């Protein structure tokens, strides 16, 4: 099971874009108003810094996963607890993404289809790719889905140019101020922090020493896409409407209409988006399965795929509406997971690693 650094780029680019432009634009506009694009630029810088820390600590233990090197650095039991907490976080994130996906597809495509059936079909697909080819198969699929996703987004940007009103972007800074802009940056910065999964994937990268550039570029590309998306949403709908849309990018795509001929672009974009969400969930299932197996000393990690899939599927069916589901980011991800698991723990592990003089090989 080995992937190249550039396959890692497409995996990260695909999974970062899949949710960031769908879920971070509206709350950023709500906080920073027409200066949301500045917030998203700052978020990209924060995301690069965080990812750099994650890469540094991972490369110092390139042959080990987080579950393994945490135990070597801080002791068996404390390290095991840290690994278990990360796995619990990844289970909760996976379930939340599956909820978002299922409710979105039901709302816009299959109105009469039960949510559990949509979720089950996605779980079946991501279970199959993990059984059949694991992280290597996911990486190869992302090499196809990633360029397709980027091409689709760029096409919609071009087709939406006639709907833009530049005046809606002004005034710059005057109506929001530094505090609101910085507060707005936390939303997308926290989503970019999903790069923390690099701590579980490094042992599977064929040339881990050269993964810095692809990994950082995989943060830059989604950040720039998010900036352009926010600008276009604001220039299309304004801040008052743009901040209230649950899925502003998708609403913008539905707004495209050329001579009653080029329209219904939303269906095409949705199917491309489904591919990207599939990559995201498949990677999380791999991490959860492999990490759980390491936590409990199970030699054959594939045994845990079915268990992890059932846990994710079960948790995903708990909430009853889309707004309750989206509260996960507001009340759990941003205030707790981002500062503790994405920033504090990796920095602590890096400092301990430097103090103990661990080598790159771990």
């Amino acid at each position: 099971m080995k992937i190249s650094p550039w396959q890692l780029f497409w995996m990260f680019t695909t999974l970062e874009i899949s949710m960031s432009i769908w879920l971070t634009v509206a709350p950023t506009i709500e906080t920073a108003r027409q200066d949301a694009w500045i917030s998203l630029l700052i978020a990209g810088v924060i995301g690069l810094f965080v990812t750099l820390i994650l890469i540094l600590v991972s490369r110092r233990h390139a042959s080990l996963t987080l579950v393994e090197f945490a135990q070597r650095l801080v002791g068996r039991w404390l390290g095991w607890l840290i690994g278990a907490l990360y796995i619990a976080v990844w289970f909760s994130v996976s379930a939340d993404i599956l909820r978002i996906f299922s409710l979105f597809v039901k709302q816009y495509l299959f109105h009469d289809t039960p949510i559990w059936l949509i979720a089950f079909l996605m779980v079946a697909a991501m279970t199959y790719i993990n059984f059949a080819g694991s992280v290597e198969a996911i990486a190869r699929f992302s090499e196809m889905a990633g360029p397709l996703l980027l091409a689709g987004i760029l096409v919609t940007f071009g087709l939406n140019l006639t709907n833009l009103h530049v005046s809606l972007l002004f005034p710059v800074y005057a109506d929001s101020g530094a505090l609101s802009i910085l507060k707005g940056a936390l939303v997308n910065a926290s989503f970019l922090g999903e790069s923390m999964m690099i701590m579980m994937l490094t042992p599977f990268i064929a040339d881990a020493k050269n993964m810095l550039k692809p990994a950082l570029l995989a943060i830059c590309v989604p950040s720039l896409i998010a900036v352009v998306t926010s600008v276009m949403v604001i220039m299309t709908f304004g801040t008052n409407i743009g901040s209230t849309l649950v899925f502003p990018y998708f609403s913008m795509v539905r707004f495209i209409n050329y001579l009653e001929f080029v329209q219904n672009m939303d269906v095409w974009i949705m199917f491309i988006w489904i591919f990207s969400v599939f990559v995201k969930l498949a990677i999380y299932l791999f991490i959860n399965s492999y990490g759980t197996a390491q936590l409990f000393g199970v030699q054959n990690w594939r045994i845990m795929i079915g268990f992890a899939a059932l846990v994710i599927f079960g948790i995903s069916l708990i909430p009853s509406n889309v707004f309750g589901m989206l509260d996960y980011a507001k009340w759990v991800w941003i205030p707790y997971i981002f500062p503790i698991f994405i920033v504090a723990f990796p920095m602590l592990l890096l400092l301990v690693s430097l103090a103990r003089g661990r080598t790159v090989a771990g």
Side-chain angles (χ1 to χ4, degrees):
M1 296 190 299
K2 288 293 183 178
I3 63 176
S4 71
W6 286 105
Q7 285 179 321
L8 177 72
F9 163 78
W10 283 115
M11 287 171 62
F12 272 25
T13 299
T14 304
L15 69 89
E16 295 287 5
I17 291 177
S18 64
M19 286 295 171
S20 62
I21 66 172
W22 258 263
L23 297 179
T24 67
V25 173
T28 304
I29 295 175
E30 182 181 5
T31 303
R33 309 304 291 173
Q34 65 267 26
D35 295 320
W37 62 274
I38 303 177
S39 293
L40 292 168
L41 277 176
I42 296 173
V45 175
I46 297 173
L48 286 172
F49 173 77
V50 169
T51 303
L52 178 61
I53 297 298
L54 293 165
I55 292 172
L56 290 176
V57 68
S58 299
R59 288 202 310 183
R60 290 182 64 82
H61 311 275
S63 63
L64 307 175
T65 66
L66 166 70
V67 174
E68 294 172 312
F69 72 71
Q71 295 184 43
R72 291 198 180 187
L73 290 177
V74 297
R76 179 181 177 184
W77 296 111
L78 182 56
W80 188 93
L81 178 60
I82 291 175
L85 289 174
Y86 269 99
I87 297 300
V89 166
W90 283 320
F91 267 114
S92 67
V93 174
S94 305
D96 189 62
I97 295 169
L98 185 60
R99 283 196 295 268
I100 295 172
F101 166 80
S102 303
L103 289 166
F104 183 81
V105 171
K106 176 180 175 63
Q107 180 178 350
Y108 289 102
L109 279 182
F110 307 118
H111 305 287
D112 298 325
T113 304
I115 290 176
W116 68 266
L117 181 58
I118 298 172
F120 175 79
L121 292 174
M122 175 57 82
V123 169
M126 63 198 211
T127 300
Y128 171 77
I129 196 172
N130 272 282
F131 265 117
S134 68
V135 69
E136 186 176 347
I138 300 169
R140 291 179 179 179
F141 182 85
S142 67
E143 285 184 295
M144 297 184 293
L148 188 62
L149 177 64
L150 287 178
I153 292 172
L154 293 177
V155 167
T156 59
F157 284 166
L159 292 175
N160 194 56
L161 290 177
T162 56
N163 297 324
L164 304 182
H165 305 279
V166 180
S167 60
L168 294 174
L169 280 176
F170 298 100
V172 176
Y173 188 79
D175 290 346
S176 53
L179 186 60
S180 295
I181 291 174
L182 291 174
K183 185 178 179 181
L186 290 177
V187 181
N188 198 47
S190 66
F191 273 68
L192 294 173
E194 284 187 287
S195 57
M196 65 176 173
M197 64 177 64
I198 191 69
M199 294 188 292
M200 287 294 295
L201 295 176
T202 302
F204 306 101
I205 301 174
D207 189 5
K209 293 181 180 179
N210 294 321
M211 71 177 180
L212 180 63
K213 181 179 178 180
L216 294 181
L217 190 59
I219 300 299
C220 291
V221 172
S223 298
L224 292 176
I225 293 292
V227 169
V228 177
T229 301
S230 67
V231 169
M232 288 204 155
V233 168
I234 292 170
M235 288 197 292
T236 302
F237 300 110
T239 56
N240 292 331
I241 296 177
S243 62
T244 61
L245 298 171
V246 179
F247 305 106
Y249 169 76
F250 187 71
S251 298
M252 183 184 74
V253 172
R254 299 184 76 182
F255 208 60
I256 296 173
N257 189 338
Y258 275 90
L259 303 174
E260 301 296 329
F261 178 71
V262 179
Q263 52 185 339
N264 297 325
M265 294 287 296
D266 50 319
V267 176
W268 179 49
I269 291 298
M270 180 177 291
F271 279 106
I272 298 175
W273 177 72
I274 289 174
F275 292 152
S276 66
V277 175
F278 169 68
V279 170
K280 192 184 194 86
L281 286 171
I283 295 172
Y284 271 121
L285 180 59
F286 172 77
I287 290 173
N288 286 328
S289 304
Y290 200 90
T292 303
Q294 288 189 318
L295 280 175
F296 295 102
V298 178
Q299 295 299 318
N300 185 2
W301 70 273
R302 281 185 168 86
I303 295 176
M304 305 305 296
I305 294 177
F307 165 77
L310 286 174
V311 171
I312 293 170
F313 177 69
I315 299 175
S316 72
L317 300 180
I318 295 175
S320 59
N321 61 73
V322 67
F323 298 103
M325 162 212 46
L326 293 175
D327 283 344
Y328 177 88
K330 181 179 180 181
W331 299 112
V332 179
W333 182 265
I334 297 174
Y336 298 108
I337 294 177
F338 178 63
I340 298 173
F341 292 90
I342 299 176
V343 179
F345 277 171
M347 291 186 70
L348 176 63
L349 291 172
L350 178 60
L351 291 174
V352 173
S353 179
L354 290 170
R356 300 187 66 173
R358 295 289 183 179
T359 63
V360 173

